[in-house]
Amino acid sequence: MTGSEELADRFEEHRGHLKAVAYRMLGSLSEAEDAVQEAWLKLGRTDADDIHNLGGWLTTVTGRVCLDLLRSRTARREEPMGDTQDTVRAFVPDPVLRPLSHLDPAEEVLHADSVGLALLVVLENLAPDERLAFVLHDMFAVPFDDIAPIVERSPAATRQLASRARRRVRGATPSAEPDLGRQKQVLDAFLAASRGGDFEALLEVLHPDVVLRADSGALVRGAAASKVVQGAKAVAERALMFARYAQAAQLVLVNGSVGVVHAPEGRVQSVMGVTITDGRITGMYILADPERLERLEAPGLTW
C-alpha cells in the first residue's frame, strides 16, 4: 500500500465523524459532503507526517471550512411572504431518514447521537462563530484552546461564545418525548384525524401553541409557499387543506424521531419531522423544496 493510499484509508476512518460535524454546522447534507471533501483536499496539500492527531486536525479543519461557508451565506433559503407571520424565517434543515420498521435496540445505540430538526433550527439562528464554538465544544468535546484559532479569539472569549450559544439553545429548544412508541401513537392519531377530516381530533393532538414551519424553497407557480404558522387552530386548518397528502403518508425516522414522508407514486414530495411533548405535537418541520428533496438520501427506504 502506498503512502497516499494509507492516508486515504485513515481519512475514511474519520469521514462519518467529519460529516456529523459539518451537518450540525450547516444543516445541509450536500454542503456537509462538500465541506468534508474540502477537508480531504486540504489534507492532500499538507505534510501528514507533521500531524500528530489526525482526527483532531481534520475536525478543526472541517470546522473552519464550515465557518467560512456560514459567513459567506448572503441569501436566505426562504422568501419573505405577504403578511407579518409569514415573514418569519421558515428554513427547515435537511432531514436524515431511516426506516421505522427496521429499528432495533442495537441499531438505536448507533444512532443515539442523532440531532433533531428542532435543535438544528435553533442552531441556524446563532451567529456563525457562536455556532462553531457550541457545536465543536458541546457536541464534540473539542477543547476551547483548539477552537480559539479558528474564530480568531482567545480561549476565554471562545468559551464565552459557546456559553452564549448554550443559553440560547436551552431557551429555545423544546423538551421532547423520547419514547418512539409514544411518538408513533401521536403521529398515528394526527394522520388518522387528517385523513378523516376530523378538526376536533386534530385540535386534541396539537399543542395550543404548536408551530409549523414549511420550507418549500423557491417560488411555486410564481408564489412563495414557505411559511411559519402558529397555533393549533391555524395548523389544524392547514392540515385539513392538505388532507390528501396524509393518504399517501408513511411513518419513518426523521433525525432519530418518528416523522412522516409523503411519497405518492414513489416520489418524495415532503418530509415532516415533529416535536412531541406530553402527548401533543408542539413543533412541525416540513421540507417540501423539490430541489433539496431530489438530493435527499433515504437508505433502506422504498416508496
Side-chain angles (χ1 to χ4, degrees), residues 6 23 37 41 73 75 91-92 94 101 107 119 125 130 142 181 185 191 199 207 212 215 234 277-278 288 296 299 302:
E6 181 180 357
Y23 175 58
Q37 184 62 22
L41 294 175
R73 287 178 177 172
F91 172 70
V92 173
D94 289 349
S101 58
E107 183 180 1
L119 176 55
N125 293 318
E130 290 178 341
V142 177
Q185 289 177 355
L191 290 176
F199 187 76
H207 188 278
L212 179 150
D215 183 349
T277 305
D278 296 330
L296 199 62
T302 56

Side-chain angles (χ1 to χ4, degrees), residues 48-214:
D49 292 336
D50 294 334
I51 302 174
H52 302 295
N53 179 356
L54 182 61
W57 186 91
L58 287 170
T59 298
T60 55
V61 167
T62 300
R64 183 176 286 110
V65 171
C66 292
L67 182 62
D68 290 343
L69 286 171
L70 289 175
R71 287 174 172 173
S72 67
R73 287 178 177 172
T74 56
R76 307 317 303 170
R77 283 179 265 192
E78 65 284 321
E79 298 292 333
M81 313 305 154
D83 57 46
T84 302
Q85 183 185 44
D86 290 347
T87 60
V88 179
R89 295 190 62 246
F91 172 70
V92 173
D94 289 349
V96 177
L97 305 182
R98 289 191 290 132
L100 180 63
S101 58
H102 294 173
L103 186 69
D104 61 47
E107 183 180 1
E108 188 59 21
V109 169
L110 295 176
H111 296 276
D113 64 344
S114 294
V115 57
L117 291 181
L119 176 55
L120 288 173
V121 168
V122 175
L123 293 180
E124 188 70 16
N125 293 318
L126 298 178
D129 290 9
E130 290 178 341
R131 186 168 184 169
L132 177 91
F134 177 80
V135 168
L136 289 189
H137 181 268
D138 285 41
M139 292 184 169
F140 296 99
V142 177
F144 287 119
D145 286 348
D146 294 341
I147 303 172
I150 305 176
V151 294
E152 299 178 334
R153 285 174 167 83
S154 68
T158 304
R159 184 184 299 273
Q160 288 300 313
L161 284 176
S163 179
R164 287 201 301 270
R166 194 178 303 119
R167 288 195 297 270
R168 293 182 64 185
V169 168
R170 287 176 178 171
T173 306
S175 60
E177 170 60 62
D179 185 86
L180 294 177
R182 287 194 284 270
Q183 292 175 20
K184 183 177 182 299
Q185 289 177 355
V186 173
L187 271 175
D188 281 338
F190 172 80
L191 290 176
S194 298
R195 290 165 179 154
D198 191 335
F199 187 76
E200 294 302 320
L202 282 170
L203 293 181
E204 284 295 318
V205 79
L206 295 171
H207 188 278
D209 299 321
V210 62
V211 176
L212 179 150
R213 309 173 72 91

